[in-house]
Amino acid sequence: MEKRGILIILSGPSGVGKGTVRKEVFKHDDLNLKYSISMTTRAPRFGEIDGIDYYFVSKERFEQAIKNNELLEYAEFVGNYYGTPKSMVEKELDNGFNVMLEIEVDGANQVIRNCKDCITIFLVPPDFQELEQRIRKRKTEEEQVVQKRLYKARQEIELTNNYRHVVVNDDVESTAQRVIDIIRSYQKK
Ligand code: 5GP
């Protein structure tokens, strides 16, 4: 039988660059990675594709998924629901893939509680000003939402002690390399 894969949780405040680092890490086929596509009630941003970036669903559909126990974890983040569909994660872990969840801290804590062998990585910005600049540069959110995301980011950074690895995202390539090294160190175990 195939060796069961490892669950990897990648968290970090909004705007820290999780997606960019993740895409860099996923270029390495030997890591045997699969990305868990989340379900969200947030509206798609320009260029985001349903079924690739997220499953964009209505609030009713999301609440049904909660009720049917379809989600491994879920959380509310700045007025929207986000959650991890359980079936894909279980299937790919059973197939021997290492499955990466890119999720915020409340949801991550629900998973960490039940998973002793998970790899938990928290990305932090080099400093807060840089984070604010990155969120603003995206130009995808209105001022009120930007403020809420910044407030949430400060709260999230306080909660890094639930994660085994904290990595400063100063430069995409070297940060991705540090994440790769962390994953490889578990593959050897
Ligand atoms: P965004 O709206 O910027 O795409 O995501 C907002 C936050 O929700 C980010 O921190 C992102 O990592 C997190 N997130 C995305 N998918 C999930 C999920 O399935 N569960 C949880 N708990 N958080 C998620």
Side-chain angles (χ1 to χ4, degrees):
M1 211 176 77
E2 196 89 52
K3 193 172 165 225
R4 195 170 152 87
I6 309 167
L7 192 61
I8 304 161
I9 299 176
L10 181 66
S11 294
S14 179
V16 77
K18 296 185 291 274
T20 317
V21 169
R22 186 240 308 162
K23 281 176 192 144
E24 196 60 36
V25 172
F26 268 68
K27 288 181 184 164
H28 297 257
D29 291 341
D30 62 307
L31 295 173
N32 219 16
L33 293 169
K34 288 274 179 188
Y35 175 59
S36 158
I37 302 167
S38 296
M39 196 186 265
T40 184
T41 58
R42 166 168 81 61
R45 290 189 188 124
F46 183 76
E48 284 183 331
I49 300 169
D50 186 40
I52 292 186
D53 298 293
Y54 280 107
Y55 296 109
F56 295 101
V57 300
S58 64
K59 192 161 178 253
E60 291 69 33
R61 170 67 190 100
F62 200 101
E63 285 172 349
Q64 185 190 39
I66 298 173
K67 215 160 105 196
N68 295 346
N69 202 21
E70 290 171 45
L71 302 174
L72 182 65
E73 60 72 36
Y74 72 94
E76 219 183 312
F77 183 91
V78 190
N80 282 298
Y81 280 131
Y82 295 80
T84 304
K86 207 186 284 185
S87 56
M88 177 269 175
V89 173
E90 288 303 328
K91 186 182 97 195
E92 299 300 6
L93 287 173
D94 282 347
N95 287 340
F97 287 101
N98 301 315
V99 179
M100 185 181 281
L101 314 184
E102 197 186 299
I103 61 177
E104 54 68 66
V105 291
D106 292 340
N109 285 340
Q110 295 165 36
V111 182
I112 293 170
R113 240 182 275 136
N114 299 311
C115 180
K116 298 245 166 349
D117 312 320
C118 290
I119 305 178
T120 56
I121 304 170
F122 194 93
L123 287 189
V124 289
D127 61 65
F128 215 79
Q129 264 177 335
E130 170 124 7
L131 188 76
E132 181 162 355
Q133 274 169 11
R134 285 191 207 170
I135 294 180
R136 292 193 184 283
K137 236 182 17 208
R138 265 195 326 218
K139 293 202 172 107
T140 49
E141 275 100 13
E142 290 174 11
E143 181 57 27
Q144 204 188 8
V145 177
V146 170
Q147 288 302 334
K148 283 187 186 159
R149 282 181 179 254
L150 286 169
Y151 176 74
K152 190 88 184 173
R154 286 189 193 277
Q155 285 182 323
E156 288 204 305
I157 291 172
E158 299 287 310
L159 296 169
T160 54
N161 54 0
N162 287 337
Y163 292 76
R164 203 162 295 164
H165 307 276
V166 177
V167 177
V168 180
N169 185 15
D170 42 9
D171 156 83
V172 175
E173 265 173 44
S174 48
T175 304
Q177 191 53 52
R178 271 174 261 152
V179 171
I180 291 164
D181 292 343
I182 292 169
I183 299 171
R184 288 219 171 102
S185 73
Y186 283 75
Q187 284 180 311
K188 283 188 208 125
K189 283 178 190 167

